[in-house]
């Protein structure tokens, strides 16, 4: 590996229809690692898809319909013809129809191969756009196998079938070796043909040899080839004289020499499993040892890849903008990426922003010097206004602009966070309105709000606080496509209403047992305002819009002169405040089912809004540097003429 991996990767990528997505966290196809299916909308190469540990990625699923059915039918009709190396299934073993089917149809190669692990090679890492983007937002980015969702379940089942079929194959080899001088009656199918299967052990040993050679120095390659000589090993297996324990012991010693010390215990366990299987003549235990062996090899490759991510992190981040510009320009030139709708979207939001500013300036004249500074930031401010509107609208947008392809997960998560904060404000307002209706006022609103927020959030997020949610940036769950968070609130409606009622009873000094007459109006108001784009929602939506835009633009002003690495490092700076900030809500609309004046309303914690603003500004500034010269300001200025403050 050399430091020219970036240039090599670019050259390699130009011939592909999409990026070599080494993940997908997470930010992920023979052997896949975590990856974002949402990002696959542009013919992305399926050969490499790795995802960061913190991310839970969108599972892949075959669409229901005639194509799947037809494919299945073709598969059934095209059972592979036996090869010259095919082995007959002995009748004496009494294998079930399922076991025979596994021998004939399970995958031929191990779940871990040289090809699948090549996704973790440095050229793939350096050309991985998903990874480059995620490296800007996650300091602890690293890889792990993608075993989540439907695709992960399917992969685990395929792997389990492979290892089960391998155990049956070892049993057949043992049976044949033990009955070498006896004529073996083989299983016959209904049409009179012999039941045969293609052996997997030769491919397993070849794969083992290839993978180990990628993990050990070249000086050890002759020893590896000598000890893993496939024809010799297969000959010994057929004759029943292969010493698996000696082979396993040598493999463990070799791996311990080159892997991290934390893997030594794993290697010892592999030897113990194969020893136990050899002594008891239990093929299942031997296969368990082989399965452990391949898990060690995969872990070693992941260790190397994660080390490379740490070593090249600065290079990946600093090269983000030129790499993306080169990549997207190539896609656009080849006609593989249609971005004109995104340009029309930007021009529309910019025109709308100019109209709003013109109306505002008519009523509130600005200082000339300040106005000139702000005018220079108007183009990128329009971008933030447009994307903020999509984050705040009641119904989820159909999609974000195509130019946000590699930021879409982060935007969906920010939208979910913002909408949950709005819902929390609505719940707090309903609580205050009920208390005020009974002519009572909170003696310690800040302390009550803090406790209230913690209790409601624990119901919603299983104890995950706002800070960790935004920092970890989990990907939206496919099973919960409502990115506003409404589905989770609806599912917990009764519990949330009960919690609000408990707070109300405590504030009104009522009995500890909450009566139905207290819960009913609270639950009714909660359900209405969370399910409809009510005046109350619009009030808190507008309030949230102002806060998010102010904090985002303030962060963007700080980030514009900084390098991508400096912006990334600035995200570690703690927010200036972490406590709740009181605010007046005298103009808030009345809640259905309640009466009386509106009491003091507490806004979401400043730290939450600051984190949202910092993250959105981080995404927006990088996005602007890539797309302003390529698309948004393409017809107005060239990249050389672009104002330094906006680059």
């Amino acid at each position: 590996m050399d430091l020219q991996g970036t240039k090599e990767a670019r050259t390699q990528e130009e011939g592909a229809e999409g990026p070599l997505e080494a993940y997908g966290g997470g930010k992920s196809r023979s052997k896949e690692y975590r990856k974002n299916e949402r990002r696959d909308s542009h013919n992305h190469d399926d050969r490499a898809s790795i995802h960061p540990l913190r991310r839970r990625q969108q599972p892949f699923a075959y669409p229901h319909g005639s194509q799947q059915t037809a494919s299945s039918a073709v598969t059934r009709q095209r059972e592979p013809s036996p090869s010259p190396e095919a082995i007959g299934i002995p009748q004496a073993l009494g294998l079930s129809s399922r076991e025979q089917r596994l021998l004939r149809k399970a995958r031929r190669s191990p779940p871990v191969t040289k090809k699948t692990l090549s996704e973790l090679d440095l050229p793939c890492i350096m050309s991985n756009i998903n990874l480059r983007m995620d490296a800007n937002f996650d300091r602890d980015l690293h890889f792990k196998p993608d075993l989540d969702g439907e695709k992960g379940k399917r992969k685990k089942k395929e792997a389990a079938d492979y290892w089960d079929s391998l155990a049956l194959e070892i049993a057949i080899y043992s049976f044949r070796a033990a009955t070498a001088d006896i004529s073996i009656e083989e299983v016959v199918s209904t049409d009179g043909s012999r039941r045969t299967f293609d052996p997997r052990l030769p491919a397993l040993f070849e794969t083992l040899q290839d993978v180990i050679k990628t993990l050990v120095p070249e000086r050890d390659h002759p020893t590896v080839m000598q000890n893993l000589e496939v024809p010799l090993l297969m000959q010994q297996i057929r004759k029943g004289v292969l010493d698996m324990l000696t082979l396993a012991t040598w493999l463990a010693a070799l791996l311990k020499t080159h892997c991290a010390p934390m893997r030594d215990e794993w290697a010892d366990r592999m030897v113990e499993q194969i020893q136990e299987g050899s002594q008891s003549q239990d093929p299942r235990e031997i296969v368990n040892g082989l399965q452990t062996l391949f898990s060690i090899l995969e872990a070693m490759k992941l260790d190397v890849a994660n080390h490379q991510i740490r070593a090249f992190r600065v290079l990946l981040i600093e090269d983000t903008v030129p790499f993306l510009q080169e990549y997207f320009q190539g896609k656009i030139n080849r006609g593989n990426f249609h971005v004109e709708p995104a340009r029309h979207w930007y021009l529309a939001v910019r025109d709308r922003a100019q109209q709003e500013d013109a109306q505002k300036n008519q009523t509130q004249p600005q200082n000339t010097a300040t106005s000139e500074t702000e005018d220079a930031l108007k183009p990128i401010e329009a971008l933030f206004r447009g994307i903020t509107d999509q984050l705040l609208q009641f119904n989820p947008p159909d999609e974000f602009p195509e130019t946000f392809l590699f930021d879409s997960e982060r935007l969906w998560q920010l939208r979910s966070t913002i909408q949950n904060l709005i819902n929390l404000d609505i719940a707090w307002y309903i609580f205050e309105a009920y208390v005020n209706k009974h002519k009572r006022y909170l003696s310690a609103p800040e302390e009550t709000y803090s406790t209230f927020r913690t209790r409601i959030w624990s119901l919603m997020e299983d104890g995950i606080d706002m800070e960790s949610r935004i920092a970890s940036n989990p990907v939206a769950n496919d099973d919960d496509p409502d990115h506003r968070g409404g589905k989770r609130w609806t599912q917990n409606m009764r519990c949330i209403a009960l919690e609000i009622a408990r707070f109300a009873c405590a504030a009104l000094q009522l009995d500890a047992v909450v009566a139905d007459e207290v819960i009913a109006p609270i639950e009714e108001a909660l359900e209405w305002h969370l399910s409809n784009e009510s005046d109350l929602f619009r009030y808190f939506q507008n309030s949230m819009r102002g806060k998010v835009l102010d904090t985002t633009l303030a962060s963007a002003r700080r980030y514009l002169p900084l390098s991508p690495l400096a912006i990334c490092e600035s995200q570690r700076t703690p927010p200036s405040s972490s406590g709740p900030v009181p605010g007046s809500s005298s103009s808030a609309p009345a809640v259905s089912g309640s009466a009386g004046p509106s009491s003091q309303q507490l806004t979401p914690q400043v730290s939450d809004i600051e984190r949202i603003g910092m993250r959105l500004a981080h995404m927006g500034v990088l996005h602007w540097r890539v797309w302003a010269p390529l698309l948004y300001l393409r017809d107005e200025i060239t990249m050389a003429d672009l104002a330094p403050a906006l680059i």
Side-chain angles (χ1 to χ4, degrees):
M1 306 283 182
D2 60 76
L3 291 178
Q4 299 302 315
T6 303
K7 187 63 178 177
E8 293 172 5
R10 290 178 180 175
T11 304
Q12 174 186 5
E13 195 278 330
E14 280 300 312
E17 288 299 314
L20 293 175
E21 292 177 310
Y23 78 131
K27 344 314 314 358
S28 37
R29 279 209 162 3
S30 308
K31 173 71 177 178
E32 289 195 20
Y33 298 83
R34 282 234 167 169
K35 121 173 220 317
N36 172 17
E37 293 296 340
R38 193 188 308 278
R39 299 174 183 171
D40 282 349
S41 60
H42 287 283
N43 266 343
H44 292 173
D45 195 338
D46 277 349
R47 292 173 296 175
S49 49
I50 301 172
H51 219 282
L53 173 63
R54 48 175 188 70
R55 292 196 156 185
R56 189 168 61 78
Q57 280 306 327
Q58 304 268 13
F60 175 86
Y62 287 114
H64 297 290
S66 59
Q67 290 184 348
Q68 180 181 2
T69 305
S71 176
S72 300
V74 170
T75 301
R76 285 194 297 269
Q77 295 171 2
R78 295 182 180 178
E79 185 173 329
S81 302
S83 68
E85 293 79 21
I87 300 174
I89 302 176
Q91 180 74 41
L93 285 179
L95 300 184
S96 66
S97 58
R98 176 186 177 277
E99 292 172 329
Q100 294 180 37
R101 186 169 58 254
L102 279 177
L103 282 168
R104 290 183 289 109
K105 296 186 176 182
R107 58 183 299 162
R108 294 290 180 261
S109 58
V112 177
T113 66
K114 179 182 178 181
K115 180 178 179 180
T116 61
L117 292 181
S118 67
E119 301 168 9
L120 298 166
D121 289 342
L122 185 59
C124 287
I125 291 175
M126 300 302 285
S127 63
N128 184 338
I129 294 187
N130 289 344
L131 184 148
R132 283 174 173 269
M133 290 299 297
D134 291 339
N136 283 273
F137 299 95
D138 183 7
R139 290 182 55 82
D140 300 320
L141 187 70
H142 59 286
F143 304 148
K144 79 167 193 176
D146 178 16
L147 299 177
D148 293 331
E150 287 298 324
K151 196 164 194 177
K153 292 178 182 178
R154 189 173 71 251
K155 287 166 57 178
K156 286 192 287 188
K157 183 181 184 306
E158 289 177 355
D161 288 347
Y162 171 82
W163 295 116
D164 288 343
S165 65
L166 191 66
L168 294 171
E169 181 176 327
I170 293 175
I172 291 174
Y173 274 116
S174 299
F175 176 79
R176 287 181 171 276
T179 57
D181 299 328
I182 302 175
S183 177
I184 298 176
E185 184 180 356
E186 297 177 350
V187 175
V188 178
S189 65
T190 54
D191 61 1
S193 61
R194 291 192 313 144
R195 286 291 191 184
T196 62
F197 68 95
D198 288 327
R200 293 167 179 79
L201 280 173
L204 180 139
F205 288 126
E206 289 174 0
T207 300
L208 186 60
Q209 181 186 113
D210 291 341
V211 172
I212 291 178
K213 285 166 65 177
T214 66
L215 295 171
V216 301
E218 191 172 349
R219 65 175 182 272
D220 291 329
H221 288 190
T223 305
V224 172
M225 297 177 66
Q226 179 181 352
N227 285 275
L228 293 175
E229 185 180 349
V230 179
L232 177 60
L233 292 175
M234 292 308 302
Q235 184 180 25
Q236 292 174 335
I237 288 175
R238 294 187 188 97
K239 294 182 177 298
V241 296
L242 176 63
D243 188 349
M244 278 296 296
L245 180 57
T246 300
L247 183 62
T249 303
W250 168 78
L251 283 168
L254 178 67
L255 297 182
K256 285 181 182 180
T257 303
H258 301 290
C259 70
M262 62 184 298
R263 309 295 181 196
D264 290 357
E265 184 179 352
W266 217 349
D268 293 335
R269 190 191 328 149
M270 178 266 293
V271 174
E272 292 172 2
Q273 289 171 327
I274 290 181
Q275 181 180 20
E276 182 177 344
S278 299
Q279 292 174 349
S280 63
Q281 294 297 299
D282 183 359
R284 183 69 256 182
E285 277 299 321
I286 294 177
V287 166
N288 288 341
L290 293 173
Q291 190 173 356
T292 301
L293 172 61
F294 277 86
S295 297
I296 297 172
L297 298 176
E298 183 180 41
M300 289 176 65
K301 188 68 174 182
L302 285 168
D303 290 343
V304 172
N306 289 329
H307 172 73
Q308 290 172 335
I309 286 296
R310 292 189 294 270
F312 292 101
R313 175 177 173 271
V314 173
L315 176 62
L316 289 170
I317 293 174
E318 290 290 15
D319 194 45
T320 297
V321 173
F323 184 92
L324 290 177
Q325 286 179 331
E326 182 179 337
Y327 167 75
F328 283 122
Q329 187 64 68
K331 295 278 284 186
I332 293 171
N333 292 342
R334 295 193 299 271
N336 296 331
F337 196 23
H338 305 290
V339 292
E340 285 306 311
R343 182 171 181 272
H344 296 325
W345 167 84
Y346 171 75
L347 294 177
V349 298
R350 189 178 68 176
D351 291 343
R352 188 166 62 249
Q354 289 173 348
Q355 294 173 6
E356 293 174 356
D357 290 340
Q359 295 175 358
K360 182 179 178 181
N361 292 336
Q362 289 177 359
T363 58
Q364 300 177 2
Q366 293 184 347
N367 179 275
T368 304
T370 304
S371 178
E372 291 178 356
T373 303
E374 292 300 317
D375 286 344
L377 299 174
K378 289 301 181 184
I380 192 172
E381 181 179 340
L383 178 77
F384 285 120
R385 288 192 183 188
I387 206 67
T388 300
D389 286 344
Q390 290 188 307
L391 297 178
L392 282 156
Q393 67 188 45
F394 183 84
N395 295 311
D398 294 334
E399 60 182 357
F400 292 103
E402 200 71 0
T403 48
F404 284 93
L405 174 68
F406 295 101
D407 283 318
S408 59
E409 291 175 8
R410 280 175 281 275
L411 290 174
W412 281 117
Q413 182 56 32
L414 282 181
R415 173 177 164 81
S416 178
T417 299
I418 290 172
Q419 296 294 336
N420 278 316
L421 285 174
I422 293 175
N423 289 347
L424 186 66
D425 280 346
I426 292 174
W428 172 257
Y429 181 82
I430 291 173
F431 159 69
E432 279 198 315
Y434 187 87
V435 173
N436 294 343
K437 177 182 177 181
H438 292 79
K439 310 300 182 184
R440 295 291 184 92
Y441 299 93
L442 299 176
S443 58
E446 293 186 9
E447 291 79 359
T448 304
Y449 176 80
S450 179
T451 306
F452 178 90
R453 172 190 169 90
T454 302
R455 292 292 301 131
I456 297 299
W457 215 254
S458 66
L459 293 174
M460 292 299 305
E461 301 295 332
D462 297 326
I464 302 178
D465 61 17
M466 180 67 64
E467 178 177 355
S468 62
R469 290 177 66 248
I470 297 177
S472 62
N473 183 31
V475 176
N477 187 351
D478 262 3
D479 298 330
D480 184 9
D482 184 356
H483 300 287
R484 183 176 173 260
K487 182 176 181 180
R488 287 174 305 201
W489 284 80
T490 302
Q491 290 173 340
N492 292 279
M493 189 77 69
R494 182 71 177 177
C495 294
I496 296 171
L498 178 60
E499 200 63 44
I500 296 173
R502 285 176 178 169
F503 272 83
C505 288
L508 297 173
Q509 298 179 348
L510 300 178
D511 294 337
V513 179
V514 180
D516 287 339
E517 56 265 25
V518 179
I519 300 177
I522 291 175
E523 185 174 9
E524 181 182 356
L526 189 65
E527 183 174 4
W528 168 259
H529 290 293
L530 294 184
S531 304
N532 298 275
E533 193 173 356
S534 62
D535 291 339
L536 188 62
F537 171 83
R538 283 192 286 268
Y539 169 79
F540 287 117
Q541 178 193 47
N542 291 331
S543 175
M544 184 69 69
R545 177 182 286 107
K547 298 185 185 80
V548 170
L549 267 178
D550 288 345
T551 55
T552 300
L553 293 175
S555 296
R557 291 187 185 93
R558 297 197 308 269
Y559 295 161
L560 283 170
L562 302 181
S563 68
L565 182 62
I567 299 175
C568 181
E569 294 299 316
S570 72
Q571 299 292 308
R572 305 175 63 187
T573 304
S576 59
S577 173
S578 60
V581 178
S584 174
S585 64
S586 57
S587 59
V591 177
S592 174
S594 67
S598 175
S599 66
Q600 185 184 51
Q601 174 71 33
L602 300 184
T603 62
Q605 290 187 4
V606 171
S607 59
D608 296 335
I609 304 300
E610 286 187 355
R611 291 187 186 94
I612 292 171
M614 290 169 62
R615 195 163 185 85
L616 185 56
H618 189 179
M619 282 187 278
V621 169
L622 291 181
H623 181 89
W624 183 256
R625 291 177 179 178
V626 173
W627 287 107
L630 287 181
L631 187 69
Y632 300 140
L633 305 180
R634 180 185 61 200
D635 299 335
E636 302 170 32
I637 51 178
T638 64
M639 187 172 181
D641 298 328
L642 196 61
L646 298 180
I647 297 181

